Amino acid sequence: MTERNSYMDPSKRPQVDLSESTVGPDFDEKTWDMPGSLALSSQLTTGQVLCELAAEGRDDLVVCTADLARPTQVINFGKQYPDRLFNFGIAERNMIGAAAGLATTGLLPVISNYSFFLALMGLENIRDDICYPNLNVRMIGTHSGIAMGFYGTSHHSNEDIGALRTLANLTLMAPCDGNAIRAAFRSTLDHEGPIYFRAGRGREKPVYDAPPEWRIGGSNTLRGGSHATVLAVGNLVSAALEAADQLAGKGIELTVVDMYSIRPLDREAVRAAARQGVLFTAEEHNVTGGFGSAVAEVIADEGLGCRQVRIGLPDEYSLLGPPTHLYRHYGLDGDGVAATVRQTLKASH
Amino acid sequence: MARRETKDVPRAELREKARMIRREVLRLTDICGSGHYGSAFSIAELLAVLYYRFLQVDPQHPDWADRDRFTMGKGHAAIALYPVLADLGYFPRQDLDGYTRLGSPLGDHPDMRKVRGADFSSGSIGHNLSVSVGMALGLRHRGSPARVVCMMGDGEQAEGQIWEAAMAGAHWGLGNLVGIVDINAAGSDGYTQETLASEPLEDKWRAFGWDVVNLEDGHDLAQTSAALELALNGERDRPCCVLARTVAGKGVSFMEGGWQWHLGYLGPKDLERAYREVEAGEIG
């Protein structure tokens, strides 16, 4: 028997059910199908967390998706609780409205879908059906930013933070890995009102080895350094940590903060960063209107008077390509963040 | 779906309720200076029969978990709903006097966070059938006997989301879900069939897996009662759509059948004429 790729090995990716795979042991080791592909998204822990919560007695949790239960991994919840997963087919607006209806009956619906089909396509429904009536709905928009890579620009979600953070009543958070998703769900379960969790594709490099501290309006300082601060969200948290490691050997000590709560924002973290001089924001999102803009509003509101460098995607439609190539191209990996920080600090001295 | 209690209300009383709705629509529109006469008058009998005969609700406990739900897909007709909610005791009748004034809970479209008795907020056309699907799913999941009724317009049928919701309702066999299409044939820009034809609606709803009840005259109280009895109390394992033929502006002769009164305002002389006709009218 040919040794399989690591992602095809169930013992290495225990959360994904490979029994549905049609790839047999006699196939070429590079052959893969949908279940195998899903094994790569190990950071999408939503289904597991929901199963745990249901087992702990949260009978009010139900899941809604639009033909994306597998790629977003909530299929794992559906297998254990089949009468509590509602698959609406490819009808996102209907799904969002129905989730609102479910919430009015005392259930806590969790919508799990790709972010561009949820936040961008369904924006009006999120606004009118969920946020305006201030209903208890949890939304998890996965595959944000350019994570979908070569699927193309239509599948890139670089505008969701900008759109969502204008919606009153909405709490917007960005868990950066699987442990953060766990913490995000559990810590906010009894919050009254809608919450949107912006997550990646699940193939992110993990930041946390255990569920971190998590509160609405909070942040986690992961690295302390005296030269400058990188306030980062999502994928850029691990990129910023990598950059800090690289720069540490070159005489630049960075503070790195996981600013997982985008709305409301941890204003104290922004103030602290501003005291260090140049402040960097980093996100996998258009630099216009996104997390960096939210930070800029605080700087302006409070007259913090510091310079801000926004690391993110330029204000244009993103290229397609393999995700890793895209991150490199746009300077959204460790090397890219390190280069931006180094050049900026060099120029300002 | 379990049969729920139906109240035996004399026809004369239902007729008076519908007249009360029309009277208040005239009065409130006058307070506001603008309003949707056409689509409010077309559902007066439907609302009267629904609320006074069929819907199991408790105005003293507006959040009663097992209450029947009513959602207003055609939210611009909320002006016809408010007088009913006030009459049932959800809020004081005096609240109607401030209709659309600054800070009033009562606007042109219903807001569930401001109006006691409003089961959902609406305004953007085409959303509420989806919301109702979710309500029906949730209620069934919780083992509640409650039913969900969504009032739609025939112009609203042009919204694609309606058909997403229709598919979902049939897919899950939601026997506790009832749609009503108020076919008053009128919209902002003209007659529905000319702006964007929605007919043949019966074929469409049946093709989407719903039972259909045809209500030939949505102003005839006996017919309306019979149609809603079938829709709400029939034993069914699929949702049901009542196709209610109505007349836009019904009850005021110079408005009847004209799309031009979808939105309008009456000067003092015409308002007086309209009041007289509504008081004298014996619709139903």
Side-chain angles (χ1 to χ4, degrees):
Chain A
M1 181 178 140
T2 320
E3 193 186 327
R4 293 196 183 180
N5 288 349
S6 62
Y7 60 80
M8 291 298 293
D9 183 346
S11 68
K12 289 183 181 160
R13 304 281 186 192
Q15 305 90 349
V16 176
D17 179 6
L18 288 175
S19 64
E20 293 179 315
S21 172
T22 56
V23 177
D26 54 334
F27 276 75
D28 186 287
E29 66 173 52
K30 287 183 175 162
T31 301
W32 55 274
D33 59 7
M34 179 82 117
S37 148
L38 298 186
L40 292 167
S41 297
S42 59
Q43 298 303 305
L44 289 179
T45 56
T46 323
Q48 297 163 35
V49 182
L50 291 171
C51 283
E52 291 159 17
L53 289 164
E56 290 163 23
R58 288 300 297 238
D59 294 335
D60 55 339
L61 288 167
V62 293
V63 173
C64 302
T65 190
D67 197 31
L68 290 173
R70 281 175 206 279
T72 68
Q73 307 262 16
V74 290
I75 190 78
N76 300 322
F77 178 81
K79 281 178 178 161
Q80 241 177 293
Y81 301 95
D83 64 332
R84 289 162 70 176
L85 187 142
F86 302 119
N87 199 328
F88 288 85
I90 308 168
E92 295 79 6
R93 297 178 178 99
N94 180 52
M95 166 185 67
I96 297 166
L102 283 162
T104 67
T105 67
L107 296 169
L108 180 56
V110 178
I111 298 177
S112 182
N113 228 58
Y114 289 173
S115 206
F116 47 86
F117 291 138
L118 182 58
L120 299 178
M121 186 185 204
L123 187 70
E124 190 215 342
N125 302 70
I126 292 176
R127 174 189 183 270
D128 281 347
D129 301 345
I130 293 176
C131 294
Y132 168 43
N134 200 24
L135 290 168
N136 289 342
V137 178
R138 302 292 180 259
M139 293 164 269
I140 175 147
T142 66
H143 299 59
S144 287
I146 48 178
M148 289 295 272
F150 51 77
Y151 290 82
T153 308
S154 68
H155 279 51
H156 296 173
S157 187
N158 300 331
E159 302 87 359
D160 50 355
I161 295 176
L164 292 167
R165 76 183 190 88
T166 63
L167 298 182
N169 291 339
L170 183 68
T171 298
L172 173 60
M173 305 185 127
C176 66
D177 70 4
N179 274 314
I181 288 176
R182 282 174 191 283
F185 261 95
R186 284 186 171 274
S187 306
T188 59
L189 210 53
D190 295 317
H191 171 75
E192 289 287 325
I195 306 181
Y196 190 104
F197 301 107
R198 182 189 201 249
R201 191 179 183 178
R203 301 177 182 186
E204 296 75 41
K205 193 174 167 193
V207 169
Y208 297 105
D209 48 22
E213 286 291 311
W214 195 277
R215 67 181 173 84
I216 291 172
S219 67
N220 284 324
T221 301
L222 303 175
R223 192 69 54 88
S226 57
H227 294 108
T229 299
V230 183
L231 301 175
V233 291
N235 245 357
L236 270 295
V237 176
S238 69
L241 289 171
E242 266 184 55
D245 287 344
Q246 287 187 20
L247 295 172
K250 299 187 170 73
I252 297 173
E253 301 296 332
L254 280 183
T255 294
V256 176
V257 186
D258 175 6
M259 294 288 286
Y260 59 79
S261 182
I262 297 173
R263 176 199 165 94
L265 199 65
D266 185 348
R267 300 174 82 98
E268 182 47 43
V270 179
R271 284 182 212 116
R275 285 194 288 271
Q276 286 195 323
V278 185
L279 177 160
F280 296 86
T281 53
E283 63 193 310
E284 190 182 345
H285 186 278
N286 189 326
V287 290
T288 305
F291 162 70
S293 298
V295 171
E297 287 167 15
V298 176
I299 293 171
D301 279 352
E302 303 197 6
L304 298 177
C306 69
R307 181 174 172 215
Q308 176 186 359
V309 175
R310 289 173 295 163
I311 299 169
L313 287 151
D315 191 7
E316 62 195 32
Y317 289 98
S318 38
L319 300 173
L320 66 81
T324 48
H325 297 199
L326 285 173
Y327 293 127
R328 175 153 296 261
H329 174 80
Y330 287 114
L332 298 179
D333 56 3
D335 291 348
V337 173
T340 303
V341 170
R342 197 169 48 232
Q343 284 155 19
T344 305
L345 295 184
K346 203 169 145 192
S348 64
H349 280 111
Chain B
M1 176 175 60
R3 193 178 192 286
R4 302 194 91 182
E5 190 200 336
T6 300
K7 291 189 202 72
D8 195 14
V9 182
R11 193 164 178 168
E13 195 178 323
L14 290 174
R15 188 179 289 151
E16 180 46 39
K17 295 298 183 190
R19 183 181 288 133
M20 179 271 292
I21 292 171
R22 290 198 171 87
R23 189 189 299 130
E24 290 290 50
V25 167
L26 288 172
R27 187 173 77 88
L28 302 187
T29 306
D30 194 52
I31 291 172
C32 173
S34 171
H36 291 91
Y37 294 110
S39 45
F41 287 168
S42 66
I43 59 168
E45 281 72 28
L46 282 162
L47 282 180
V49 174
L50 251 183
Y51 267 94
Y52 295 96
R53 290 206 67 202
F54 289 99
L55 292 185
Q56 292 293 301
V57 294
D58 180 357
Q60 298 313 307
H61 302 96
D63 297 326
W64 172 38
D66 286 337
R67 72 189 185 281
D68 288 338
R69 301 326 196 251
F70 177 75
T71 63
M72 190 67 117
K74 42 176 284 176
H76 52 279
I79 191 172
L81 176 64
Y82 299 148
V84 174
L85 297 179
D87 185 54
L88 288 169
Y90 280 102
F91 53 82
R93 286 173 163 281
Q94 304 90 276
D95 288 5
L96 295 172
D97 302 345
Y99 173 71
T100 67
R101 300 299 84 192
L102 185 65
S104 168
L106 308 175
D108 192 57
H109 299 89
D111 184 330
M112 66 185 278
R113 294 293 182 204
K114 295 176 182 163
V115 184
R116 266 171 68 102
D119 285 314
F120 207 78
S121 310
S122 56
S124 194
I125 294 293
H127 291 217
N128 270 206
L129 189 63
S130 299
V131 171
S132 304
V133 163
M135 287 176 169
L137 262 183
L139 290 165
R140 187 173 73 178
H141 182 77
R142 307 204 79 154
S144 169
R147 306 165 294 197
V148 185
V149 180
C150 179
M151 176 77 79
M152 294 169 276
D154 58 337
E156 186 173 6
Q157 309 294 294
E159 288 281 3
Q161 195 183 325
I162 292 284
W163 303 101
E164 296 180 6
M167 258 190 263
H171 176 77
W172 282 304
L174 296 175
N176 56 346
L177 175 63
V178 171
I180 301 176
V181 186
D182 171 41
I183 308 174
N184 65 21
S188 291
D189 272 358
Y191 293 107
T192 311
Q193 283 300 99
E194 290 165 15
T195 303
L196 190 87
S198 58
E199 295 282 9
L201 284 169
E202 181 172 356
D203 294 348
K204 289 190 175 78
W205 283 98
R206 283 201 198 282
F208 276 79
W210 288 48
D211 287 342
V212 169
V213 171
N214 279 300
L215 170 53
E216 291 307 326
D217 182 355
H219 301 295
D220 181 296
L221 291 163
Q223 275 189 40
T224 302
S225 288
L228 291 179
E229 172 72 34
L230 261 176
L232 280 157
N233 288 328
E235 281 294 324
R236 63 182 80 253
D237 54 8
R238 41 167 52 191
C240 181
C241 187
V242 178
L243 298 178
R245 310 280 158 184
T246 65
V247 175
K250 177 76 176 179
V252 174
S253 60
F254 55 85
M255 291 185 185
E256 284 188 2
W259 63 264
Q260 296 85 346
W261 292 98
H262 177 77
L263 189 67
Y265 177 63
L266 294 172
K269 193 176 118 201
D270 294 325
L271 181 61
E272 203 45 51
R273 282 168 57 192
Y275 269 129
R276 272 203 307 276
E277 290 192 22
V278 163
E279 294 306 335
E282 288 293 314
I283 306 166

